[in-house]
């Protein structure tokens, strides 16, 4: 590990101490350790950590950092799984967790204005208390921040019906390297004036600017939900059932899937009756519908009619507390996965919806060939699969080979290397499997406009 | 009017004739006249018109045009209302209407792959015949092209529930000046790899590249629709009723509004009983719900319960043929508007949803002060109002003053100069009322990356 503050000159350190007095800046290794990693397995000690309380401090920081050519790595809760928050090139980590005010919830405009450090789940509770709804629900949402969600264009289960984070961002305030502030979009729900800088910034993984304020679009809160779980003996039957739901004209709020290996793990973690399906289950379909309470029973019946012809070995319709018990199973797939191995290499490849069966069949075979266990579960409705290569110490090479083969299969089937997590640091080496040379050149040229000296989250994303 | 082909040298004309033999190129003023205008009131004769049949011809054209520094103005059905298709700086107009093949409709992937000249309404019929749904429904959709819809990020009535064109574009193939082809996005419904070039291109008004292929996201087709028309004596009551619909947790597929002046015009064009409301009507709310047929009666009742306390002077619930009769009224607002004046200056300003009443009240007053009639109707649900300043010959200055005041009011209330139509040529002079200097500079720098010699639709958009 490098010496404390290795990359800063004494003068630079003094400048940061002036800009961020007292506990707003950290320079000792022990305190900074946690700021050098995220939910991926890589880490690097930053040169310094600063914790601005307001946009004015961000402006000063980015003016200073550009002049001094010091890398800046923005961060909030760092639930990122691909190293997006790891200061791989050193530099100053900027924690945005102190900028965590919900500035406004306007139930006439259907708009929320928030600082980037607001926790997504807290915003959701606050808007729902007023009959409003912020649909994006990344699995990390109870702990991750809106700023991080915007920087990564976070998805979630409700993306099927409601779209991902980008579809709910109306406008941004962003501090650029050098300290200039830009404002994109606004608080209208429609806006086609100029190039869409808002969506260029959403998902840019902290490489173009540091977000200081976010305007989000809200919707009326659906009054009720209802869910259906259908377990099948084969993956084939399960995916055919999912197609029948669409063919019935339904777009559920969520359409989740759990594969054979994941079912076995869940049965170990949550023995029957917690997991309600029989041992003959090899694939599970889990749907959530939302809407007017008067309608849900009929919609649930329509979904049941759609999935029944494919011979479920177990079928449950649920509302209220029983409904949440079904979703607790889905929420347990991460802890359950470790029943199949003590180490995990995970991925969030996305397939064209019609090619999921072919891909998953191949993923299982890849695991068998490599002698590791490949588990999958995820957002079947939009083809976004969370694939976990479970393995033991000593099997790291086999696991890495399996993960690479899964990515190759995904690309061969017209898929995407990431549906939600992004590229960050971890997938940068493989991003050229998906992005062409001209497209990458354009992205880097765009970055150069925003960040001419390359100080923002260097070595990430594209 | 300039001489035919004024801007082309004889050698350039010969090059174009070689690249676009026979009827693929036009050089005579009479044939080109129609290619020099769109649905705005400005026009300029192009230097030449070419009609590529395939992407390879587009590549050759853009290689040639960049080398020769000849402006290129892409165009399809030219329903654009802000001069986006007018060759204001001269140059070659490229009609994409011959590239009009639906290449693929995949009901497993829920994807359509189309050439830019495909007519939106034709695509919709084709996908609906297979139980699929392409939600964006710009008013021009029966005649406008998907390529034009993408270039302008077209909206429509269903944007309230389903979003605008940008929310349904998964990927693009685009030919850049110089002839390079880029591919953005793909056929997965989720994708967060690299900067979002797809959405940078959507709505870029033909200034960054020429779209040669579009991958669209499709959804299951809702099985049924139902509508509600509620007429009120005051705008105040009508807008309060609209808020009550949202407060009941409903997000209708469409929520349209017609103001007092528009009601009077419609009554003249479509005398009772075609227009069903009484003479005491001063504001009309029109909703469309969609979903499972078993549910719509209950949802309609919920909407009725929401709007009834505000004292409608007329209320109608409808399905099937009667439902379309209600929407025929809405579809007649353009011809009806000419009952209030022989000349029209129109705008599509967008307000934060909660500020619509304040804005519309002011718009009426602006009309009275200027001695012209200001009509409004439009997409109340997302605050996107189509405002028409109706006037007579000789009143052009008063109408222009009223339009400017409407834009000022919109900006003062935190609105946007355009919700659907874009900036094009007509609004370029006022775009700095909305876009800051730094933001505009960034947009122009981005353009320079894609189009270093500024040959693509020069003098437009930002």
């Amino acid at each position: 590990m490098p010496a404390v503050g290795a990359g800063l000159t004494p003068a630079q350190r003094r400048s940061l101490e002036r800009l961020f007095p007292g506990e707003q800046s950290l320079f000792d290794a022990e305190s900074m350790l946690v700021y050098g990693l995220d939910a991926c397995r890589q880490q690097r000690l930053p040169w310094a950590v600063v914790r601005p309380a307001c946009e004015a401090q961000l402006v000063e920081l980015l003016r200073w950092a550009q002049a001094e050519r010091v890398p800046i790595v923005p961060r909030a809760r760092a639930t990122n799984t691909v190293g997006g928050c790891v200061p791989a090139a050193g530099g100053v980590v900027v924690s945005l967790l102190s900028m965590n005010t919900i500035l406004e919830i306007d139930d006439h405009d259907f708009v929320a204005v928030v600082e980037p450090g607001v926790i997504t789940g807290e915003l959701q509770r606050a808007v729902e208390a007023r009959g409003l709804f912020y649909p994006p629900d990344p699995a990390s949402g109870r702990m991750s921040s809106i700023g991080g969600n915007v920087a990564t264009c976070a998805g979630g289960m409700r993306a099927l019906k409601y779209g991902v984070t980008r579809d709910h961002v109306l406008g941004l305030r962003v501090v650029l390297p050098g300290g200039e502030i830009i404002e994109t979009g606004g608080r209208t729900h429609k806006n086609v004036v100029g190039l869409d800088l808002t969506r260029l910034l959403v998902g840019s993984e902290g490489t173009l600017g540091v977000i200081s304020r976010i305007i989000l679009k809200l919707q009326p809160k659906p009054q009720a939900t209802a869910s259906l779980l259908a377990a099948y003996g084969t993956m084939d039957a399960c995916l055919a059932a999912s197609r029948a739901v669409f063919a019935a004209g339904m777009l559920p709020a969520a359409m989740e899937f759990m594969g054979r290996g994941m079912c076995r793990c869940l049965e170990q973690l949550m023995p029957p009756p917690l997991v309600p399906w029989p041992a003959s289950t090899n694939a599970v379909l889990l749907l959530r519908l939302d809407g007017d309470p008067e309608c849900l029973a009929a919609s649930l019946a329509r979904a049941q009619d759609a999935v029944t012809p494919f011979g479920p070995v177990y079928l449950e319709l649920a509302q209220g507390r029983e409904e949440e018990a079904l979703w607790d199973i889905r929420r347990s797939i991460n802890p359950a996965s470790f029943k199949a191995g003590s180490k995990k290499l995970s991925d969030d490849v996305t397939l064209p919806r019609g090619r999921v069966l072919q891909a998953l069949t191949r993923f299982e075979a890849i695991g068998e060939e490599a002698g590791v266990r490949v588990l999958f579960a995820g957002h079947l409705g939009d083809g976004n699969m969370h694939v976990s290569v479970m393995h033991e110490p000593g099997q790291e090479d086999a696991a890495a080979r399996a993960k690479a083969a899964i990515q190759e299969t995904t690309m061969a089937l017209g898929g995407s290397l990431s549906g939600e997590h992004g590229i960050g640091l971890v997938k940068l080496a493989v991003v050229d499997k998906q992005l062409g040379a001209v497209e990458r050149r354009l992205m880097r040229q765009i970055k150069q406009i925003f960040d001419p000296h390359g100080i923002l989250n260097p070595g990430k994303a594209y």
Side-chain angles (χ1 to χ4, degrees), chain A residues 36-62:
Chain A
L37 44 85
D38 60 19
C40 86
R41 251 168 304 277
Q42 301 194 32
Q43 66 171 70
R44 166 89 197 256
L45 196 67
W47 301 347
V49 174
V50 298
R51 303 188 278 197
C54 63
E55 185 186 75
Q57 282 188 303
L58 266 185
V59 166
E60 289 303 316
L61 175 69
L62 284 161

PDB file of all heavy atoms in Angstrom, chain A residues 36-62:
ATOM      1  N   GLY A  36     -11.264   3.616  -0.348  1.00  0.00           N
ATOM      2  CA  GLY A  36     -10.468   3.125  -1.477  1.00  0.00           C
ATOM      3  C   GLY A  36     -11.063   1.917  -2.151  1.00  0.00           C
ATOM      4  O   GLY A  36     -10.474   1.382  -3.084  1.00  0.00           O
ATOM      5  N   LEU A  37     -12.268   1.504  -1.710  1.00  0.00           N
ATOM      6  CA  LEU A  37     -12.865   0.321  -2.306  1.00  0.00           C
ATOM      7  C   LEU A  37     -14.356   0.546  -2.513  1.00  0.00           C
ATOM      8  O   LEU A  37     -14.937   1.507  -2.026  1.00  0.00           O
ATOM      9  CB  LEU A  37     -12.616  -0.911  -1.411  1.00  0.00           C
ATOM     10  CG  LEU A  37     -12.824  -0.771   0.099  1.00  0.00           C
ATOM     11  CD1 LEU A  37     -14.272  -0.979   0.477  1.00  0.00           C
ATOM     12  CD2 LEU A  37     -11.948  -1.779   0.823  1.00  0.00           C
ATOM     13  N   ASP A  38     -14.952  -0.344  -3.294  1.00  0.00           N
ATOM     14  CA  ASP A  38     -16.417  -0.372  -3.392  1.00  0.00           C
ATOM     15  C   ASP A  38     -16.832  -1.847  -3.342  1.00  0.00           C
ATOM     16  O   ASP A  38     -16.086  -2.663  -2.795  1.00  0.00           O
ATOM     17  CB  ASP A  38     -16.931   0.402  -4.609  1.00  0.00           C
ATOM     18  CG  ASP A  38     -16.431  -0.136  -5.932  1.00  0.00           C
ATOM     19  OD1 ASP A  38     -15.986  -1.306  -5.992  1.00  0.00           O
ATOM     20  OD2 ASP A  38     -16.484   0.594  -6.927  1.00  0.00           O
ATOM     21  N   ALA A  39     -17.982  -2.190  -3.914  1.00  0.00           N
ATOM     22  CA  ALA A  39     -18.457  -3.567  -3.768  1.00  0.00           C
ATOM     23  C   ALA A  39     -17.752  -4.543  -4.717  1.00  0.00           C
ATOM     24  O   ALA A  39     -18.126  -5.705  -4.790  1.00  0.00           O
ATOM     25  CB  ALA A  39     -19.970  -3.619  -3.943  1.00  0.00           C
ATOM     26  N   CYS A  40     -16.752  -4.070  -5.461  1.00  0.00           N
ATOM     27  CA  CYS A  40     -15.922  -5.005  -6.231  1.00  0.00           C
ATOM     28  C   CYS A  40     -14.745  -5.414  -5.363  1.00  0.00           C
ATOM     29  O   CYS A  40     -14.621  -4.996  -4.219  1.00  0.00           O
ATOM     30  CB  CYS A  40     -15.440  -4.387  -7.542  1.00  0.00           C
ATOM     31  SG  CYS A  40     -13.918  -3.434  -7.398  1.00  0.00           S
ATOM     32  N   ARG A  41     -13.880  -6.260  -5.888  1.00  0.00           N
ATOM     33  CA  ARG A  41     -12.817  -6.766  -5.029  1.00  0.00           C
ATOM     34  C   ARG A  41     -11.513  -5.968  -5.145  1.00  0.00           C
ATOM     35  O   ARG A  41     -10.488  -6.365  -4.619  1.00  0.00           O
ATOM     36  CB  ARG A  41     -12.546  -8.234  -5.334  1.00  0.00           C
ATOM     37  CG  ARG A  41     -13.016  -9.175  -4.236  1.00  0.00           C
ATOM     38  CD  ARG A  41     -12.984 -10.588  -4.736  1.00  0.00           C
ATOM     39  NE  ARG A  41     -13.787 -10.680  -5.951  1.00  0.00           N
ATOM     40  CZ  ARG A  41     -15.109 -10.835  -5.944  1.00  0.00           C
ATOM     41  NH1 ARG A  41     -15.754 -10.950  -4.837  1.00  0.00           N
ATOM     42  NH2 ARG A  41     -15.760 -10.882  -7.084  1.00  0.00           N
ATOM     43  N   GLN A  42     -11.516  -4.854  -5.859  1.00  0.00           N
ATOM     44  CA  GLN A  42     -10.273  -4.091  -6.001  1.00  0.00           C
ATOM     45  C   GLN A  42     -10.254  -2.911  -5.023  1.00  0.00           C
ATOM     46  O   GLN A  42     -11.300  -2.435  -4.597  1.00  0.00           O
ATOM     47  CB  GLN A  42     -10.129  -3.606  -7.444  1.00  0.00           C
ATOM     48  CG  GLN A  42     -10.129  -4.779  -8.430  1.00  0.00           C
ATOM     49  CD  GLN A  42      -9.667  -4.371  -9.802  1.00  0.00           C
ATOM     50  OE1 GLN A  42      -8.840  -3.483  -9.947  1.00  0.00           O
ATOM     51  NE2 GLN A  42     -10.202  -5.029 -10.808  1.00  0.00           N
ATOM     52  N   GLN A  43      -9.056  -2.440  -4.694  1.00  0.00           N
ATOM     53  CA  GLN A  43      -8.976  -1.259  -3.848  1.00  0.00           C
ATOM     54  C   GLN A  43      -7.666  -0.524  -4.084  1.00  0.00           C
ATOM     55  O   GLN A  43      -6.699  -1.080  -4.600  1.00  0.00           O
ATOM     56  CB  GLN A  43      -9.116  -1.616  -2.380  1.00  0.00           C
ATOM     57  CG  GLN A  43      -7.970  -2.448  -1.838  1.00  0.00           C
ATOM     58  CD  GLN A  43      -8.095  -2.553  -0.333  1.00  0.00           C
ATOM     59  OE1 GLN A  43      -8.989  -3.214   0.189  1.00  0.00           O
ATOM     60  NE2 GLN A  43      -7.199  -1.893   0.374  1.00  0.00           N
ATOM     61  N   ARG A  44      -7.665   0.745  -3.734  1.00  0.00           N
ATOM     62  CA  ARG A  44      -6.467   1.565  -3.853  1.00  0.00           C
ATOM     63  C   ARG A  44      -6.628   2.715  -2.866  1.00  0.00           C
ATOM     64  O   ARG A  44      -7.677   3.369  -2.844  1.00  0.00           O
ATOM     65  CB  ARG A  44      -6.376   2.106  -5.306  1.00  0.00           C
ATOM     66  CG  ARG A  44      -5.395   3.223  -5.535  1.00  0.00           C
ATOM     67  CD  ARG A  44      -4.007   2.687  -5.881  1.00  0.00           C
ATOM     68  NE  ARG A  44      -3.011   3.741  -5.710  1.00  0.00           N
ATOM     69  CZ  ARG A  44      -2.457   4.399  -6.718  1.00  0.00           C
ATOM     70  NH1 ARG A  44      -2.751   4.122  -7.961  1.00  0.00           N
ATOM     71  NH2 ARG A  44      -1.549   5.339  -6.463  1.00  0.00           N
ATOM     72  N   LEU A  45      -5.645   2.932  -2.051  1.00  0.00           N
ATOM     73  CA  LEU A  45      -5.746   3.997  -1.067  1.00  0.00           C
ATOM     74  C   LEU A  45      -5.739   5.358  -1.769  1.00  0.00           C
ATOM     75  O   LEU A  45      -4.848   5.632  -2.576  1.00  0.00           O
ATOM     76  CB  LEU A  45      -4.567   3.908  -0.096  1.00  0.00           C
ATOM     77  CG  LEU A  45      -4.722   4.699   1.206  1.00  0.00           C
ATOM     78  CD1 LEU A  45      -5.830   4.119   2.072  1.00  0.00           C
ATOM     79  CD2 LEU A  45      -3.398   4.719   1.961  1.00  0.00           C
ATOM     80  N   PRO A  46      -6.711   6.212  -1.494  1.00  0.00           N
ATOM     81  CA  PRO A  46      -6.686   7.548  -2.122  1.00  0.00           C
ATOM     82  C   PRO A  46      -5.590   8.422  -1.517  1.00  0.00           C
ATOM     83  O   PRO A  46      -5.056   8.120  -0.455  1.00  0.00           O
ATOM     84  CB  PRO A  46      -8.072   8.119  -1.801  1.00  0.00           C
ATOM     85  CG  PRO A  46      -8.591   7.327  -0.663  1.00  0.00           C
ATOM     86  CD  PRO A  46      -7.899   5.997  -0.658  1.00  0.00           C
ATOM     87  N   TRP A  47      -5.274   9.497  -2.206  1.00  0.00           N
ATOM     88  CA  TRP A  47      -4.299  10.459  -1.681  1.00  0.00           C
ATOM     89  C   TRP A  47      -4.925  11.293  -0.561  1.00  0.00           C
ATOM     90  O   TRP A  47      -4.240  11.755   0.340  1.00  0.00           O
ATOM     91  CB  TRP A  47      -3.803  11.401  -2.781  1.00  0.00           C
ATOM     92  CG  TRP A  47      -3.140  10.679  -3.927  1.00  0.00           C
ATOM     93  CD1 TRP A  47      -2.734   9.377  -3.964  1.00  0.00           C
ATOM     94  CD2 TRP A  47      -2.807  11.232  -5.196  1.00  0.00           C
ATOM     95  NE1 TRP A  47      -2.170   9.080  -5.171  1.00  0.00           N
ATOM     96  CE2 TRP A  47      -2.190  10.205  -5.952  1.00  0.00           C
ATOM     97  CE3 TRP A  47      -2.965  12.493  -5.783  1.00  0.00           C
ATOM     98  CZ2 TRP A  47      -1.741  10.399  -7.252  1.00  0.00           C
ATOM     99  CZ3 TRP A  47      -2.511  12.702  -7.083  1.00  0.00           C
ATOM    100  CH2 TRP A  47      -1.906  11.666  -7.808  1.00  0.00           C
ATOM    101  N   ALA A  48      -6.219  11.515  -0.700  1.00  0.00           N
ATOM    102  CA  ALA A  48      -6.957  12.271   0.311  1.00  0.00           C
ATOM    103  C   ALA A  48      -8.433  11.994   0.103  1.00  0.00           C
ATOM    104  O   ALA A  48      -8.842  11.546  -0.972  1.00  0.00           O
ATOM    105  CB  ALA A  48      -6.685  13.776   0.186  1.00  0.00           C
ATOM    106  N   VAL A  49      -9.224  12.254   1.135  1.00  0.00           N
ATOM    107  CA  VAL A  49     -10.681  12.160   1.039  1.00  0.00           C
ATOM    108  C   VAL A  49     -11.246  13.502   1.473  1.00  0.00           C
ATOM    109  O   VAL A  49     -10.817  14.044   2.505  1.00  0.00           O
ATOM    110  CB  VAL A  49     -11.235  11.039   1.947  1.00  0.00           C
ATOM    111  CG1 VAL A  49     -12.767  11.060   1.950  1.00  0.00           C
ATOM    112  CG2 VAL A  49     -10.714   9.672   1.506  1.00  0.00           C
ATOM    113  N   VAL A  50     -12.172  14.036   0.695  1.00  0.00           N
ATOM    114  CA  VAL A  50     -12.839  15.276   1.121  1.00  0.00           C
ATOM    115  C   VAL A  50     -14.345  15.045   1.128  1.00  0.00           C
ATOM    116  O   VAL A  50     -14.863  14.230   0.374  1.00  0.00           O
ATOM    117  CB  VAL A  50     -12.475  16.484   0.222  1.00  0.00           C
ATOM    118  CG1 VAL A  50     -10.982  16.761   0.297  1.00  0.00           C
ATOM    119  CG2 VAL A  50     -12.913  16.271  -1.210  1.00  0.00           C
ATOM    120  N   ARG A  51     -15.006  15.789   2.022  1.00  0.00           N
ATOM    121  CA  ARG A  51     -16.437  15.596   2.209  1.00  0.00           C
ATOM    122  C   ARG A  51     -17.151  16.942   2.139  1.00  0.00           C
ATOM    123  O   ARG A  51     -17.449  17.544   3.173  1.00  0.00           O
ATOM    124  CB  ARG A  51     -16.678  14.909   3.551  1.00  0.00           C
ATOM    125  CG  ARG A  51     -15.919  13.568   3.611  1.00  0.00           C
ATOM    126  CD  ARG A  51     -16.255  12.746   4.817  1.00  0.00           C
ATOM    127  NE  ARG A  51     -15.522  13.141   5.990  1.00  0.00           N
ATOM    128  CZ  ARG A  51     -15.392  12.372   7.091  1.00  0.00           C
ATOM    129  NH1 ARG A  51     -15.960  11.183   7.135  1.00  0.00           N
ATOM    130  NH2 ARG A  51     -14.713  12.797   8.117  1.00  0.00           N
ATOM    131  N   PRO A  52     -17.396  17.431   0.916  1.00  0.00           N
ATOM    132  CA  PRO A  52     -18.023  18.752   0.790  1.00  0.00           C
ATOM    133  C   PRO A  52     -19.429  18.759   1.383  1.00  0.00           C
ATOM    134  O   PRO A  52     -20.142  17.757   1.335  1.00  0.00           O
ATOM    135  CB  PRO A  52     -18.069  18.981  -0.723  1.00  0.00           C
ATOM    136  CG  PRO A  52     -17.959  17.625  -1.329  1.00  0.00           C
ATOM    137  CD  PRO A  52     -17.150  16.794  -0.378  1.00  0.00           C
ATOM    138  N   ALA A  53     -19.791  19.915   1.926  1.00  0.00           N
ATOM    139  CA  ALA A  53     -21.132  20.081   2.485  1.00  0.00           C
ATOM    140  C   ALA A  53     -22.050  20.810   1.527  1.00  0.00           C
ATOM    141  O   ALA A  53     -23.258  20.849   1.731  1.00  0.00           O
ATOM    142  CB  ALA A  53     -21.040  20.865   3.794  1.00  0.00           C
ATOM    143  N   CYS A  54     -21.477  21.402   0.490  1.00  0.00           N
ATOM    144  CA  CYS A  54     -22.294  22.211  -0.413  1.00  0.00           C
ATOM    145  C   CYS A  54     -21.615  22.304  -1.769  1.00  0.00           C
ATOM    146  O   CYS A  54     -20.428  21.999  -1.927  1.00  0.00           O
ATOM    147  CB  CYS A  54     -22.496  23.611   0.172  1.00  0.00           C
ATOM    148  SG  CYS A  54     -20.932  24.495   0.341  1.00  0.00           S
ATOM    149  N   GLU A  55     -22.398  22.774  -2.740  1.00  0.00           N
ATOM    150  CA  GLU A  55     -21.902  22.888  -4.110  1.00  0.00           C
ATOM    151  C   GLU A  55     -20.720  23.845  -4.211  1.00  0.00           C
ATOM    152  O   GLU A  55     -19.797  23.626  -5.006  1.00  0.00           O
ATOM    153  CB  GLU A  55     -23.050  23.354  -5.005  1.00  0.00           C
ATOM    154  CG  GLU A  55     -22.721  23.399  -6.468  1.00  0.00           C
ATOM    155  CD  GLU A  55     -23.871  24.010  -7.253  1.00  0.00           C
ATOM    156  OE1 GLU A  55     -24.048  25.239  -7.193  1.00  0.00           O
ATOM    157  OE2 GLU A  55     -24.592  23.244  -7.915  1.00  0.00           O
ATOM    158  N   ALA A  56     -20.739  24.923  -3.397  1.00  0.00           N
ATOM    159  CA  ALA A  56     -19.655  25.911  -3.476  1.00  0.00           C
ATOM    160  C   ALA A  56     -18.310  25.245  -3.187  1.00  0.00           C
ATOM    161  O   ALA A  56     -17.293  25.564  -3.815  1.00  0.00           O
ATOM    162  CB  ALA A  56     -19.914  27.053  -2.501  1.00  0.00           C
ATOM    163  N   GLN A  57     -18.311  24.303  -2.259  1.00  0.00           N
ATOM    164  CA  GLN A  57     -17.063  23.586  -1.982  1.00  0.00           C
ATOM    165  C   GLN A  57     -16.651  22.682  -3.145  1.00  0.00           C
ATOM    166  O   GLN A  57     -15.467  22.542  -3.447  1.00  0.00           O
ATOM    167  CB  GLN A  57     -17.215  22.756  -0.701  1.00  0.00           C
ATOM    168  CG  GLN A  57     -17.093  23.579   0.570  1.00  0.00           C
ATOM    169  CD  GLN A  57     -17.066  22.692   1.801  1.00  0.00           C
ATOM    170  OE1 GLN A  57     -17.990  21.916   2.009  1.00  0.00           O
ATOM    171  NE2 GLN A  57     -16.018  22.807   2.604  1.00  0.00           N
ATOM    172  N   LEU A  58     -17.632  22.088  -3.791  1.00  0.00           N
ATOM    173  CA  LEU A  58     -17.339  21.276  -4.974  1.00  0.00           C
ATOM    174  C   LEU A  58     -16.698  22.122  -6.064  1.00  0.00           C
ATOM    175  O   LEU A  58     -15.758  21.694  -6.738  1.00  0.00           O
ATOM    176  CB  LEU A  58     -18.632  20.682  -5.539  1.00  0.00           C
ATOM    177  CG  LEU A  58     -19.066  19.292  -5.130  1.00  0.00           C
ATOM    178  CD1 LEU A  58     -20.296  18.897  -5.930  1.00  0.00           C
ATOM    179  CD2 LEU A  58     -17.952  18.296  -5.363  1.00  0.00           C
ATOM    180  N   VAL A  59     -17.239  23.314  -6.239  1.00  0.00           N
ATOM    181  CA  VAL A  59     -16.709  24.228  -7.264  1.00  0.00           C
ATOM    182  C   VAL A  59     -15.237  24.536  -6.965  1.00  0.00           C
ATOM    183  O   VAL A  59     -14.381  24.450  -7.856  1.00  0.00           O
ATOM    184  CB  VAL A  59     -17.555  25.515  -7.315  1.00  0.00           C
ATOM    185  CG1 VAL A  59     -16.846  26.606  -8.114  1.00  0.00           C
ATOM    186  CG2 VAL A  59     -18.937  25.225  -7.897  1.00  0.00           C
ATOM    187  N   GLU A  60     -14.965  24.872  -5.703  1.00  0.00           N
ATOM    188  CA  GLU A  60     -13.571  25.179  -5.329  1.00  0.00           C
ATOM    189  C   GLU A  60     -12.670  23.969  -5.556  1.00  0.00           C
ATOM    190  O   GLU A  60     -11.543  24.081  -6.038  1.00  0.00           O
ATOM    191  CB  GLU A  60     -13.508  25.605  -3.852  1.00  0.00           C
ATOM    192  CG  GLU A  60     -14.114  26.964  -3.576  1.00  0.00           C
ATOM    193  CD  GLU A  60     -13.460  28.056  -4.404  1.00  0.00           C
ATOM    194  OE1 GLU A  60     -12.215  28.078  -4.508  1.00  0.00           O
ATOM    195  OE2 GLU A  60     -14.201  28.871  -4.995  1.00  0.00           O
ATOM    196  N   LEU A  61     -13.174  22.812  -5.195  1.00  0.00           N
ATOM    197  CA  LEU A  61     -12.382  21.590  -5.342  1.00  0.00           C
ATOM    198  C   LEU A  61     -12.038  21.338  -6.813  1.00  0.00           C
ATOM    199  O   LEU A  61     -10.890  21.021  -7.159  1.00  0.00           O
ATOM    200  CB  LEU A  61     -13.167  20.394  -4.787  1.00  0.00           C
ATOM    201  CG  LEU A  61     -12.495  19.028  -4.986  1.00  0.00           C
ATOM    202  CD1 LEU A  61     -11.249  18.904  -4.127  1.00  0.00           C
ATOM    203  CD2 LEU A  61     -13.476  17.885  -4.697  1.00  0.00           C
ATOM    204  N   LEU A  62     -13.037  21.482  -7.680  1.00  0.00           N
ATOM    205  CA  LEU A  62     -12.801  21.143  -9.085  1.00  0.00           C
ATOM    206  C   LEU A  62     -11.968  22.209  -9.795  1.00  0.00           C
ATOM    207  O   LEU A  62     -11.264  21.909 -10.760  1.00  0.00           O
ATOM    208  CB  LEU A  62     -14.129  20.866  -9.792  1.00  0.00           C
ATOM    209  CG  LEU A  62     -14.661  19.484  -9.390  1.00  0.00           C
ATOM    210  CD1 LEU A  62     -16.137  19.346  -9.658  1.00  0.00           C
ATOM    211  CD2 LEU A  62     -13.895  18.377 -10.118  1.00  0.00           C
TER     212      LEU A  62
END
